[in-house]
């Protein structure tokens, strides 16, 4: 027994001695390929878009990849998703919708609605987006402009353009960030971002800044970093250009009876709200849906399947998703805006599914099995989006199970 322990320790030590040089060699290879990527691809492409060498040197000179970023495909990786979620929007619905966080953010948002009433009225008149929605996004994205955004944007974007699963997208974002610096909007040395490369108080990706940022305070700069009017108006412009329908709400918490299948969820399944009411949908408040909404398009929304609150969403909900492609994000924003206007907390609880929550890797493997059975889960990415949820519901119905439209360990076992 003693000898086996000694041999095990010796074996571990030997493995460490062997693996350390291998890891160092791999790191050196990544550094070389990263530098070649910047010099042979990004610099020529940026020069072709008018970015001068002085900006390229400031932004890219001495840059090294940040291997601590999530969702990288590192040398030797098999390309599978990370077992655990890194992004808040794709973790537990109950944690994301924490009542403590919502109540505190709503209180701060109400104060800021009053403080910036005049500029928000002008923004709403110009873009048709309600002030509480704009302020809710501001609060969610950067804690109303107070968040410490500390990553070097160029290091983040260059690393992801070279090593992430979405290389082409981040390459475009990196080139856009170089153009922002070249056009004088912000010096390269001051360009900080989130770990995903998003900029400023509204957390715009660089391409969205170039397309949608506005100068609302009239000083000649589209300053989403230090100008509250520019930041808020840019958010409103983003939503309006993404299809926001003035005069409509984002959605309503509702009861969705068993006869109205959770597998009919999604923006591509449209009925009028009047038809949903006829099928049994009802507001949890007990009040009828506003008369102005009844003839408009409505969608079943069940972001936690049958294990959480349900909603009748309008197309504006999916416009919020254009800002951040997460049901929980859009729901947080819409509900936060309502809370600023005096609404109460969610009526239905966010439940823990039987067997507990599944990891992103668990959901990824479940999606693979559903695809093999012919179901459309959207992207096989380990995230329970609406296509995955409704495919689960369809499988449950076909196999004689109650429809929950949510991934559970029991369902994973049944899929084999």
């Amino acid at each position: 027994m003693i000898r086996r322990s000694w041999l095990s320790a010796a074996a571990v030590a030997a493995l460490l001695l062997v693996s350390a040089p291998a890891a160092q060699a791999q790191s050196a290879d990544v550094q070389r390929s990263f530098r070649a990527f910047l010099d042979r691809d990004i610099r020529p492409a940026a020069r072709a878009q008018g970015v001068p060498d002085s900006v390229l040197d400031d932004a890219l000179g001495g840059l090294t990849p940040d291997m601590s970023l999530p969702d990288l495909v590192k040398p030797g990786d098999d390309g599978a998703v990370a077992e655990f979620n890194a992004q808040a929007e794709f973790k537990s619905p109950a944690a994301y919708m924490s009542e403590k966080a919502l109540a505190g953010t709503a209180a701060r948002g109400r104060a800021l609605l009053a403080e910036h009433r005049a500029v928000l009225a002008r923004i709403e008149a110009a873009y048709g987006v309600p002030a509480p929605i704009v302020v809710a996004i501001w609060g969610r994205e950067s804690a109303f402009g107070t968040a410490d955004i500390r990553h070097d944007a160029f290091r983040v974007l260059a690393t992801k353009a070279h090593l992430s699963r979405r290389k082409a997208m981040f390459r475009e974002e990196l080139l856009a960030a170089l153009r922002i610096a070249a056009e004088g909007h912000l010096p390269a040395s001051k360009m900080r971002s989130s770990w995903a490369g998003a900029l400023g108080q509204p957390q715009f990706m660089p391409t969205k800044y170039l397309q949608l940022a506005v100068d609302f305070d009239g000083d000649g700069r589209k300053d989403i970093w230090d100008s509250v009017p520019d930041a808020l108006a840019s958010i409103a412009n983003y939503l309006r250009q993404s299809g926001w329908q003035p005069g409509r709400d984002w959605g309503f918490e509702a009861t969705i009876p068993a006869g109205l299948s959770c597998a009919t969820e999604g923006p591509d399944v449209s009925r009028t709200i009047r038809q949903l009411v006829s099928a049994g949908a009802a507001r949890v408040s007990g009040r009828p849906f506003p008369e102005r909404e009844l003839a408009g398009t409505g969608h079943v929304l069940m972001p936690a399947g049958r294990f959480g609150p349900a909603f009748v969403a309008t197309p504006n909900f999916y416009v919020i998703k254009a800002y951040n492609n997460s049901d929980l994000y859009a729901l947080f924003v819409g509900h936060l805006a309502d809370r600023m206007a005096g609404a109460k907390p969610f009526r239905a609880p966010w439940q823990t599914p039987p067997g507990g929550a599944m990891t992103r890797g668990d959901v990824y493997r479940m999606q693979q099995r559903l695809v093999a059975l012919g179901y459309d889960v959207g992207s096989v990415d380990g995230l329970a989006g609406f296509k995955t949820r409704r495919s689960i519901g369809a499988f449950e119905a076909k196999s004689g199970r109650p429809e929950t439209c949510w991934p559970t360990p029991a369902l994973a076992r049944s899929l084999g």
Side-chain angles (χ1 to χ4, degrees):
M1 187 74 171
I2 294 174
R3 181 170 176 75
R4 279 203 301 270
S5 298
W6 180 84
L7 286 172
S8 177
V12 169
L15 284 171
L16 288 172
L17 287 172
V18 170
S19 63
Q24 291 171 356
Q26 186 183 79
S27 176
D29 287 344
V30 170
Q31 297 280 357
R32 282 193 291 272
S33 65
F34 181 72
R35 179 49 51 190
F37 165 68
L38 294 180
D39 290 344
R40 298 173 189 172
D41 182 354
I42 297 303
R43 280 181 178 265
R47 288 189 190 105
Q49 294 184 14
V51 180
D53 282 340
S54 58
V55 170
L56 292 172
D57 292 342
D58 287 345
L60 307 179
L63 211 60
T64 60
D66 184 351
M67 304 304 290
S68 71
L69 295 173
D71 286 335
L72 301 182
V73 181
K74 301 173 185 178
D77 285 355
D78 61 6
V81 301
E83 187 66 25
F84 298 96
N85 296 338
Q87 190 168 344
E89 283 79 9
F90 302 109
K91 294 186 179 181
S92 158
Y96 192 83
M97 295 294 174
S98 158
E99 175 55 26
K100 182 178 179 180
L102 275 162
T105 308
R108 178 64 178 143
R110 279 191 292 272
L112 290 168
L113 277 170
E115 179 180 341
H116 299 290
R117 182 181 293 109
V119 72
L120 284 165
R122 291 173 50 224
I123 289 170
E124 188 166 342
Y127 300 102
V129 181
I133 291 286
V134 173
V135 172
I137 289 178
W138 186 31
R140 187 65 211 173
E141 291 294 340
S142 64
F144 307 110
T146 66
D148 182 13
I149 301 170
R150 61 179 62 188
H151 288 279
D152 179 328
F154 293 104
R155 190 181 188 209
V156 167
L157 294 168
T159 300
K160 287 183 169 285
H162 185 51
L163 292 170
S164 79
R165 290 178 176 77
R166 295 180 290 170
K167 293 181 177 65
M169 185 202 89
F170 281 104
R171 180 181 182 275
E172 183 181 6
E173 297 297 346
L174 175 57
L175 292 171
L178 290 165
R179 284 179 54 200
I180 290 171
E183 292 174 10
H185 301 291
L186 193 73
S189 61
K190 292 186 178 180
M191 201 172 297
R192 295 290 178 265
S193 76
S194 69
W195 61 262
L199 308 174
Q201 295 187 41
Q203 287 289 275
F204 277 11
M205 294 302 289
T207 54
K208 296 302 183 185
Y209 173 87
L210 291 173
Q211 295 166 13
L212 299 169
V214 297
D215 170 22
F216 204 74
D217 61 13
D219 68 353
R221 293 185 61 223
K222 300 175 182 179
D223 183 5
I224 64 170
W225 296 274
D226 297 313
S227 168
V228 169
D230 287 5
L232 297 180
S234 295
I235 292 170
N237 187 47
Y238 191 123
L239 294 177
R240 186 58 188 270
Q241 296 302 319
S242 298
W244 184 272
Q245 297 179 11
R248 293 209 66 187
D249 210 314
W250 67 270
F252 308 86
E253 188 179 355
T255 56
I256 304 295
L260 186 48
S261 172
C262 56
T264 62
E265 181 185 1
D268 53 350
V269 181
S270 300
R271 284 159 285 193
T272 66
I273 290 181
R274 181 175 284 109
Q275 289 172 324
L276 289 171
V277 170
S278 296
R283 292 179 70 182
V284 296
S285 65
R287 300 193 303 272
F289 289 92
E291 184 66 31
R292 70 179 186 279
E293 294 282 4
L294 290 175
T297 298
H299 310 274
V300 171
L301 170 66
M302 303 184 76
R306 293 284 180 184
F307 299 111
F311 305 86
V312 169
T314 79
N316 282 342
F317 175 85
Y318 297 98
V319 172
I320 300 172
K321 276 192 70 176
Y323 202 103
N324 182 318
N325 190 27
S326 158
D327 289 328
L328 291 181
Y329 175 91
L331 181 58
F332 187 100
V333 166
H335 182 64
L336 178 59
D338 289 349
R339 295 289 289 275
M340 290 180 200
K344 296 184 182 302
F346 294 117
R347 184 72 61 86
W350 298 94
Q351 304 172 49
T352 300
M358 298 181 70
T359 69
R360 181 173 180 177
D362 291 334
V363 177
Y364 175 80
R365 291 181 285 273
M366 178 181 286
Q367 289 171 324
Q368 290 180 313
R369 292 193 286 273
L370 285 167
V371 168
L373 292 172
Y375 291 93
D376 177 11
V377 301
S379 298
V380 180
D381 53 10
L383 307 175
F386 75 89
K387 288 187 176 181
T388 293
R389 297 195 297 268
R390 71 188 185 190
S391 290
I392 289 171
F395 173 81
E396 289 171 325
K398 185 176 181 180
S399 56
R401 293 172 172 81
E403 291 182 26
T404 69
C405 296
W406 192 252
T408 63
L411 180 65
R413 288 192 295 271
S414 73
L415 283 165

